Amino acid sequence: MAIQYEPPALVVDFAHRRGLRFGVAIDNTGAIARSYADIPGTPTRFLIDRRGRIVERYVGAPDFEALQRRIDALLNEA
């Protein structure tokens, strides 16, 4: 998720340059960040499963290949 002070064009460019195969939410109002409360700084990423549960929280830069494998595994769960 990109928080409200991050320019959307910069976020889109970052996702494109990294070749991310997952969506990035742009929180231009700050409402999403407020709903998760304990965000120590950026970048903080949450991986949310199909049931809406937080299954992983990453503070700082994640290993994008490992993150993609985790996403793929979650998507393959019944």
Side-chain angles (χ1 to χ4, degrees), residues 46-50 52-58 70 74:
F46 295 93
L47 183 55
I48 301 170
D49 70 8
R50 292 177 187 255
R53 297 177 302 179
I54 297 172
V55 294
E56 299 285 347
R57 177 178 155 193
Y58 304 92
R70 182 72 169 116
L74 287 168

Side-chain angles (χ1 to χ4, degrees), residues 1-15:
M1 173 183 76
I3 58 179
Q4 68 188 91
Y5 62 80
E6 296 175 316
L10 184 67
V11 174
V12 171
D13 181 60
F14 175 84

Side-chain angles (χ1 to χ4, degrees), residues 5-67:
Y5 62 80
E6 296 175 316
L10 184 67
V11 174
V12 171
D13 181 60
F14 175 84
H16 179 72
R17 281 185 290 113
R18 293 280 185 165
L20 303 182
R21 296 186 298 148
F22 49 86
V24 177
I26 297 177
D27 184 17
N28 59 352
T29 66
I32 298 170
R34 283 189 300 277
S35 71
Y36 287 98
D38 185 25
I39 298 178
T42 59
T44 298
R45 293 167 179 85
F46 295 93
L47 183 55
I48 301 170
D49 70 8
R50 292 177 187 255
R51 295 182 197 112
R53 297 177 302 179
I54 297 172
V55 294
E56 299 285 347
R57 177 178 155 193
Y58 304 92
V59 178
D63 174 338
F64 284 101
E65 290 179 17
L67 176 58

